[in-house]
Amino acid sequence: MYVSINRGGHGAQITFGLNKISVDAMVRLYKTLLMACQRNQDAANFVHNGKKIVGVALNYMCAVKARKVPTPTVPLVFLKPTSSYLREGCPIVLPKVFTKVAYEVELGVVIGSRCKNVTKEHAMEHVAGYCLALDLTAQCNLTAARATGGPWTLGKGFDTATPVSSFIPFDAVKDPHALPLWLKVNGELRQSGCTADLVFKVPDIISYVSKHMTLEENDLILTGTPHGSDVFKSGDVIECGLADLAKIKFNATKNFFIAKQSSVFFHLLAGQFIYTCSMVQASKVAGK
């Protein structure tokens, strides 16, 4: 920005302006802010627009110590389908084929822009924001899969296996590695931890995964769960929180039709009411 003063015969004239460098800088800043705003708007719909969910197992030191296993030297990565997403207000449906399904509370990282072979130093540039998530796990299936060296897909990817909160913008989180998280079952605290205990931090995970597969906008990374994961059952109420940023609450059921029963009953009742009103109105018209 510059200011020029021209002293002429009719007094002083002051002119304000922007030089070429300032204009270019402001244009770049405007475009950056606009893209960031658009990215946040798009990322808020990650449940509908995301292409994949990437999970990381055994990524809390407290869990490693509790299980008395070696600390992983690289992130233990698995995939979940986006059909496993569940938003608050709908129940967790436990598949009849599974006898043991466990809760796992986690920090979710929402990718904001496409990245491949990104370095740790630049990984956070591709993060749009976060969410609170549950990585529900059929332990009965995973136990058998581990024993035979089989995939984890069925035990991790069943319908409603990934309940999530609303989107948390990037700027709302000062440090993703200083967030307390907790989980309760029927009001009883079952899990309590902090993301400071992560074995592999968020940039480590993004960089590692991007070396093997392209991360795309609205993809979700589940960063792991602290010690305390255990089995829950139909009828239980699962509630969890992430600092003061998010809380979610879900009821668990075994039968999808039971979960929908109240909704179906309401629609049937509403339909009957509308039919009755129309018949009453028709009789009034006929009586005139």
Side-chain angles (χ1 to χ4, degrees):
M1 178 178 290
Y2 64 86
V3 178
S4 65
I5 302 177
N6 182 19
R7 299 182 182 276
H10 300 285
Q13 181 180 10
I14 302 176
T15 303
F16 294 88
L18 293 173
N19 56 33
K20 180 68 166 58
I21 296 177
S22 298
V23 171
D24 290 344
M26 290 188 67
V27 168
R28 287 196 300 271
L29 177 60
Y30 171 76
K31 288 182 177 180
T32 300
L33 292 174
L34 185 63
M35 288 175 63
C37 180
Q38 183 64 43
R39 183 185 301 173
N40 278 346
Q41 290 175 353
D42 293 341
N45 297 316
F46 70 95
V47 170
H48 300 290
N49 299 332
K51 294 183 179 180
K52 58 183 171 289
I53 303 169
V54 181
V56 181
L58 202 62
N59 198 34
Y60 274 78
M61 280 306 303
C62 58
V64 171
K65 293 176 181 177
R67 292 176 58 178
K68 298 180 180 180
V69 295
T71 303
T73 56
V74 295
L76 305 178
V77 176
F78 59 89
L79 291 176
K80 304 182 70 166
T82 56
S83 57
S84 67
Y85 273 131
L86 181 68
R87 298 303 299 267
E88 197 168 17
C90 297
I92 296 168
V93 182
L94 301 175
K96 294 180 179 180
V97 294
F98 295 143
T99 57
K100 293 182 179 181
V101 176
Y103 49 77
E104 297 181 9
V105 62
E106 310 202 5
L107 168 68
V109 179
V110 181
I111 298 299
S113 59
R114 192 174 186 272
C115 60
K116 175 69 175 176
N117 291 320
V118 67
T119 63
K120 297 177 185 179
E121 293 74 20
H122 293 283
M124 296 304 290
E125 297 172 9
H126 298 277
V127 175
Y130 308 90
C131 73
L132 171 62
L134 286 169
D135 174 23
L136 303 183
T137 303
Q139 290 185 345
C140 52
N141 179 270
L142 256 68
T143 299
R146 290 191 183 105
T148 60
W152 295 7
T153 308
L154 297 181
K156 287 285 192 178
F158 59 89
D159 292 346
T160 76
T162 315
V164 292
S165 71
S166 298
F167 176 72
I168 302 170
F170 182 87
D171 292 339
V173 178
K174 292 182 179 179
D175 183 358
H177 305 110
L179 299 174
L181 66 171
W182 54 268
L183 180 142
K184 296 179 180 180
V185 178
N186 302 325
E188 180 182 345
L189 185 65
R190 297 290 183 86
Q191 282 188 284
S192 180
C194 181
T195 54
D197 199 32
L198 286 171
V199 176
F200 298 100
K201 308 304 183 185
V202 174
D204 299 323
I205 299 170
I206 294 174
S207 178
Y208 180 79
V209 173
S210 75
K211 292 176 182 177
H212 297 83
M213 67 183 79
T214 300
L215 288 170
E216 300 177 282
E217 186 177 0
N218 294 307
D219 283 350
L220 179 67
I221 295 177
L222 301 176
T223 57
T225 193
H227 175 63
S229 171
D230 204 353
V231 174
F232 66 101
K233 63 185 184 302
S234 177
D236 285 344
V237 179
I238 309 295
E239 184 179 7
C240 54
L242 177 69
D244 58 353
L245 298 167
K247 286 183 182 180
I248 50 178
K249 187 176 183 180
F250 293 90
N251 296 319
T253 183
K254 280 186 178 179
N255 195 320
F256 178 76
F257 295 103
I258 293 176
K260 289 290 185 180
Q261 185 176 9
S262 60
S263 176
V264 171
F265 176 75
F266 172 79
H267 286 294
L268 289 174
L269 186 63
Q272 183 62 41
F273 176 75
I274 293 171
Y275 174 76
T276 302
C277 289
S278 63
M279 292 299 291
V280 170
Q281 183 65 26
S283 63
K284 288 182 178 179
V285 172
K288 289 183 178 180

